Amino acid sequence: MTKILVVDDEKMIIEVLEAYFDKEGWEVYRAANGIDALKKVKEVNPDLMILDLMLPDISGEEVCRLTRKDNDVPIIMLTAKSAEDDLINGIVIGADDYVTKPFSPREVVVRAKAILRRVSKTNISNQLSFNDGHLCIDPVKKQVTLQGNPLSLTPNEYKILVAMASFPGRVYSRADLLEKITEDGVLFEGYERSIDTHIKNLRKKVEGDSRQPTYLLTVFGMGYKFGGTPDESIPSN
């Protein structure tokens, strides 16, 4: 059964979301503050977390940041903020999506379903290895290793990396990559810029020198491409 952790100090919001999630047959867990949320993540190991930014003890941003240290659970943030910089900041610390208050519970369900489908879907069947095993992607374990050391990637970072690595040399526009993490054609205004943030974060994790990348290359005026040399036969286009 799909497990959803809803973190909000407003009881009514939790009850409304719980009612909608119950209709989907999902198991719902509650947390009214950040400390309880961090405990529940470890105890329950949820498939998805709905996280309010404004909590009575620690902020939702801090909960997200601490969760991301050792858990890649998808996170949808609930926020009253709508400024683009605030949304980008949430993506930087590891959020997968945002819903701005006041929101439609149906919209939350739609976005939750889309994220769960993305996370559960395996894009490729065989392990990918590049530059004599320097970078490896195991889609079964959903694990990426660099020089044998596992990397901690957010679900969106992982999906972008897999999409690009599956076709080295192919140029992806920001819109192309956005579609990889927002399926069903559900695109939201202003989100293309978030791809730059994901790429920047990925470079910090997979590149020896993010200013002179080997794998995640910028194609000026067009987008990005994967520059690693495959150790096995992979389609080039």
Side-chain angles (χ1 to χ4, degrees):
M1 179 180 291
T2 300
K3 295 179 291 186
I4 308 293
L5 174 60
V6 181
V7 185
D8 201 303
D9 61 337
E10 295 185 44
K11 185 178 179 181
M12 183 176 297
I13 287 179
I14 291 183
E15 290 178 347
V16 169
L17 289 176
E18 187 172 24
Y20 274 79
F21 291 148
D22 280 343
K23 292 180 181 178
E24 302 297 327
W26 298 346
E27 188 172 5
V28 180
Y29 296 84
R30 301 183 177 195
N33 57 66
I35 298 299
D36 190 26
L38 292 171
K39 291 180 180 178
K40 288 285 176 59
V41 168
K42 293 183 178 180
E43 293 172 359
V44 176
N45 192 26
D47 298 295
L48 178 72
M49 176 159 59
I50 310 295
L51 176 62
D52 185 30
L53 283 184
M54 302 297 291
L55 297 173
D57 49 358
I58 59 178
S59 70
E61 288 101 333
E62 182 67 5
V63 172
C64 183
R65 188 185 66 81
L66 292 172
T67 298
R68 279 289 172 259
K69 285 186 175 182
D70 54 14
N71 197 302
D72 62 356
V73 57
I75 297 173
I76 297 178
M77 282 190 167
L78 303 180
T79 176
K81 301 177 181 180
S82 59
E84 186 177 35
D85 287 344
D86 292 323
L87 304 186
I88 294 297
N89 181 60
I91 292 173
V92 168
I93 60 177
D96 296 276
D97 202 354
Y98 262 94
V99 176
T100 304
K101 294 181 177 180
F103 59 84
S104 161
R106 290 181 61 190
E107 179 186 356
V108 177
V109 171
V110 168
R111 295 199 186 198
K113 285 182 175 180
I115 288 177
L116 290 170
R117 281 195 296 270
R118 293 199 303 268
V119 172
S120 64
K121 185 183 297 183
T122 300
N123 288 327
I124 50 178
S125 59
N126 298 315
Q127 178 169 308
L128 298 181
S129 177
F130 301 91
N131 294 21
D132 295 323
H134 183 261
L135 178 69
C136 297
I137 302 172
D138 187 332
V140 175
K141 297 180 180 179
K142 289 186 171 59
Q143 184 179 69
V144 179
T145 58
L146 186 69
Q147 293 183 304
N149 299 312
L151 300 179
S152 178
L153 304 183
T154 68
N156 280 345
E157 289 170 357
Y158 175 81
K159 293 298 181 184
I160 290 172
L161 181 61
V162 170
M164 294 178 65
S166 296
F167 297 93
R170 176 181 292 182
V171 177
Y172 288 87
S173 68
R174 290 172 179 80
D176 291 334
L177 293 175
L178 187 60
E179 288 181 358
K180 300 298 181 183
I181 59 175
T182 50
E183 292 182 350
D184 306 322
V186 184
L187 303 179
F188 298 92
E189 186 177 354
Y191 272 38
E192 277 193 29
R193 187 179 154 198
S194 70
I195 294 300
D196 295 335
T197 302
H198 288 309
I199 294 292
K200 180 180 178 180
N201 291 337
L202 272 170
R203 281 176 174 161
K204 291 178 180 178
K205 297 176 182 181
V206 306
E207 306 285 6
D209 183 352
S210 61
R211 293 170 298 181
Q212 295 182 320
T214 297
Y215 297 110
L216 303 168
L217 308 180
T218 298
V219 182
F220 292 101
M222 299 180 68
Y224 300 98
K225 69 177 181 179
F226 188 82
T229 302
D231 297 330
E232 298 179 27
S233 178
I234 301 174
S236 60
N237 264 295

